[in-house]
Amino acid sequence: MSSRSVLAGIGALAAASVVLTACGGSSTSTTADAGEPQAGGTLRYGLSGAPTCSDPAQSGTNQTIYVIRQIVDSLTDQDPETGEITPWLADSWEVAPDASSFTFTLKDGVTFSDGTPVDAEAVKANFDSVVNTLTTAKSPLGGSYLSGYVGTTVVDPLTAKIEFNGPNAQFLQATSTPQLGIQSLATVAKPAEARCDGSNIGSGPFTYADYQQDKSVTLAKRAGYGWGSDVFGHDGEAYLDTIEFTVVPESGVRTGSLSSNQLDAISDALPQDAPQIEATGGRILTTSNPGTPFGIQPNVTRGALQDPEVRKALVPAIDRQELVDTILGPDFKTATSTLASRTPGYTELADVTYDPEKAKSILDAAGWVPGADGIREKDGQKLSFKVMFSAVFAGNQAILELTQQQLREVGVDLQLELVSNAEATARQGTKDYDSTYYNSTRADGDILRTSFAVDGRNLNARGPIPDLDASLTEELATTDTAERNEIIGRAQQQVLDNGLWIPTIELSQAIGAGPTVQDLKFEASARLQFFDTWLSGQ
């Protein structure tokens, strides 16, 4: 089947995605009187956190992906308006009826920025390196997308056949992600650590010009680029000459720098920043992320969290609307499931509802009784646990501080443990935490398998749960959209029923853009795409 007809089968899984539009602010940075796009100029961007690594295959955080997405192309792209999988490096593809193999025909004449060809050998080397060199320890998302990978056959220089040991219905959408973006043979031959220093060579519309870990990144336009995604708004090279990313952790400093024209755009613009940004002609661009919403993932082997009734009681104890209203504002949504509402297959779960009396009743029935200080106890053990989190999103600490207060009302002592991104990643790898707080973005319901499968990341450190395990296996083997969504809906409830995820809020991207920034766009997974971006009034 061709790339155009694939939607009749497995491609329709991605096309089921709902439109990624603004929650309250604008979803596009174009102003009505901006005129025709102008080439040239440097866009100065303020990141709220440092990129964790320059390697797309090892990327995970939004701030990292804002940078790395610009230097790497993927085999396919995903239309943010329709969810359709569209050509990029691959002109067309064929999917086996059981979704156990995928054959891609590449565009001819595409090169990496070092002049070497983007060919089937490069595709093979990239996927082999994710599985065999990086492994899920360094590339948890990429490794999950390649679960069951048997290998890639180079059919001819422009044809690559990727095979799995069983059905892998999510893989076509996975080929649109930056984690499976294609880099040069020289890059993927390096060990994991050496791929984080800014020396990565991709075929994207920008290249690394300078990379200063924890400080700044400069990207330069790739001369001669001419193989953009079908989703892009124009052909040829990018408009911008340069993008300068600077790490500015303090929200007030980012906003002040945007308003004073020291920066052109910034991450994580908070509600209180809007008046200052708008007063100088700027605006806030918003879209909500698909995937898993922010939530607490309990380590079910630790302390009080070993009790499934404790985990179940945490869900109704949290007032999610208060979290949104108090901290985030109208551009954000409450979590209503173990998937975010813009994810294909999302199902609203009635149990994700604030009901503190229900929480107390569950804990009472489980034998957890209030102590003298109001914190519940059972058999001499306090109902107390830590939540490990990092500042990958500017609102995380405030959200968890308010959640801490809410849980105390039902007799639960939540202790906050703020750590660096690097420490969070390391400790997640060894499961050294009581619970961990994060979200995962992906425009496919298979994110549930990535996050909760017993043979996946399994940050719950759980053992077998037969009904959930069966659902996560079935969705991977199901190519019919309606059937797969039904299975994903069942899996969402099973994750909740087993206390594996305590949802809080859905992440939205809120980008502050100055008055000269035009056509700054979100891609299907709510990350920024700078290819079409240009600066007016030069």
Side-chain angles (χ1 to χ4, degrees):
M1 93 182 50
S2 72
S3 62
R4 297 306 187 183
S5 64
V6 76
L7 288 173
I10 194 170
L13 301 177
S17 172
V18 292
V19 179
L20 295 176
T21 54
C23 304
S26 169
S27 61
T28 175
S29 66
T30 306
T31 52
D33 57 353
E36 292 298 313
Q38 304 171 26
T42 297
L43 186 143
R44 303 158 300 172
Y45 191 95
L47 296 166
S48 60
T52 55
C53 175
S54 65
D55 182 14
Q58 299 182 61
S59 66
T61 71
N62 286 318
Q63 305 308 302
T64 304
I65 295 173
Y66 286 173
V67 175
I68 61 89
R69 176 76 277 186
Q70 318 314 317
I71 67 107
V72 69
D73 297 330
S74 299
L75 291 176
T76 66
D77 203 354
Q78 186 172 11
D79 190 316
E81 298 297 327
T82 67
E84 179 184 358
I85 301 301
T86 66
W88 197 345
L89 291 177
D91 260 336
S92 62
W93 48 84
E94 295 180 358
V95 181
D98 67 350
S100 65
S101 70
F102 300 74
T103 302
F104 293 88
T105 301
L106 304 176
K107 291 178 180 176
D108 195 6
V110 179
T111 59
F112 295 108
S113 59
D114 64 357
T116 58
V118 176
D119 57 14
E121 289 285 359
V123 174
K124 172 179 170 56
N126 273 263
F127 293 167
D128 286 354
S129 75
V130 169
V131 173
N132 301 323
T133 302
L134 299 180
T135 74
T136 54
K138 293 294 185 179
S139 182
L141 294 177
S144 172
Y145 302 157
L146 289 167
S147 177
Y149 178 73
V150 172
T152 298
T153 300
V154 177
V155 178
D156 60 48
L158 294 179
T159 307
K161 182 178 182 180
I162 296 93
E163 296 180 273
F164 297 90
N165 61 12
N168 194 352
Q170 58 82 40
F171 180 68
L172 185 62
Q173 190 278 337
T175 63
S176 72
T177 66
Q179 288 81 16
L180 295 189
I182 308 302
Q183 299 180 77
S184 72
L185 294 176
T187 295
V188 300
K190 297 178 180 180
E193 293 73 14
R195 292 171 59 164
C196 288
D197 63 1
S199 62
N200 310 70
I201 298 169
S203 65
F206 292 92
T207 63
Y208 283 121
D210 184 64
Y211 191 91
Q212 302 292 328
Q213 184 62 45
D214 298 326
K215 295 181 181 179
S216 64
V217 181
T218 301
L219 304 182
K221 177 167 64 177
R222 167 87 188 273
Y225 184 85
W227 44 83
S229 157
D230 280 14
V231 174
F232 289 173
H234 76 281
D235 296 327
E237 299 176 359
Y239 292 127
L240 296 170
D241 287 335
T242 311
I243 307 172
E244 294 179 351
F245 293 96
T246 306
V247 179
V248 186
E250 302 82 5
S251 175
V253 176
R254 288 196 307 276
T255 301
S257 298
L258 179 63
S259 299
S260 62
N261 196 33
Q262 297 177 68
L263 292 173
D264 299 302
I266 61 172
S267 293
D268 292 343
L270 300 178
Q272 60 265 32
D273 301 326
Q276 185 177 354
I277 292 171
E278 293 167 356
T280 53
R283 55 257 188 243
I284 295 180
L285 318 175
T286 61
T287 195
S288 54
N289 288 48
T292 55
F294 267 110
I296 297 171
Q297 188 163 14
N299 182 334
V300 301
T301 70
R302 300 282 281 258
L305 294 173
Q306 296 178 74
D307 187 339
E309 295 304 299
V310 167
R311 305 196 303 269
K312 185 182 298 185
L314 297 176
V315 176
I318 297 174
D319 186 346
R320 295 162 184 83
Q321 193 61 54
E322 185 181 30
L323 297 180
V324 169
D325 293 345
T326 304
I327 297 164
L328 300 173
D331 289 331
F332 288 79
K333 298 179 180 180
T334 62
T336 52
S337 177
T338 50
L339 280 182
S341 59
R342 293 189 179 276
T343 315
Y346 157 83
T347 299
E348 183 174 352
L349 302 181
D351 293 329
V352 186
T353 304
Y354 179 52
D355 187 347
E357 295 308 312
K358 178 180 178 180
K360 292 176 184 177
S361 177
I362 293 171
L363 293 172
D364 287 341
W368 292 91
V369 298
D373 59 357
I375 300 303
R376 292 174 181 266
E377 302 175 359
K378 181 180 180 180
D379 299 332
Q381 181 183 28
K382 287 277 192 181
L383 211 177
S384 175
F385 66 93
K386 295 179 180 180
V387 58
M388 179 182 72
F389 70 102
S390 64
V392 292
F393 171 55
N396 277 356
Q397 182 160 346
I399 289 166
L400 287 173
E401 286 173 348
L402 184 50
T403 301
Q404 182 183 51
Q405 297 174 29
Q406 294 173 353
L407 293 183
R408 181 168 283 274
E409 292 296 317
V410 302
V412 177
D413 175 35
L414 178 67
Q415 299 179 15
L416 309 190
E417 191 175 12
L418 175 62
V419 300
S420 67
N421 291 336
E423 182 177 346
T425 300
R427 290 175 58 185
Q428 285 178 346
T430 59
K431 297 181 174 58
D432 178 23
Y433 48 81
D434 293 341
S435 68
T436 183
Y437 183 78
Y438 68 100
N439 84 300
S440 290
T441 296
R442 187 183 177 193
D444 191 280
D446 184 67
I447 193 69
L448 290 176
R449 182 186 60 87
T450 301
S451 302
F452 302 109
V454 70
D455 59 350
R457 295 189 75 191
N458 191 15
L459 298 183
N460 296 110
R462 71 173 180 89
I465 302 175
D467 59 348
L468 174 59
D469 296 336
S471 295
L472 296 178
T473 300
E474 287 173 28
E475 68 87 5
L476 202 60
T478 305
T479 59
D480 180 82
T481 303
E483 290 181 19
R484 186 169 185 257
N485 285 346
E486 182 179 344
I487 296 167
I488 290 171
R490 186 166 69 242
Q492 289 165 72
Q493 186 70 58
Q494 292 163 342
V495 167
L496 191 75
D497 289 346
N498 285 281
L500 304 182
W501 192 255
I502 318 302
T504 57
I505 59 101
E506 293 190 7
L507 177 63
S508 283
Q509 299 306 303
I511 307 299
T516 65
V517 177
Q518 313 299 333
D519 285 329
L520 181 54
K521 299 176 179 179
F522 295 106
E523 44 97 278
S525 291
R527 274 63 177 261
L528 291 175
Q529 183 266 95
F530 289 91
F531 177 77
D532 291 318
T533 305
W534 55 284
L535 298 172
S536 60
Q538 296 188 77

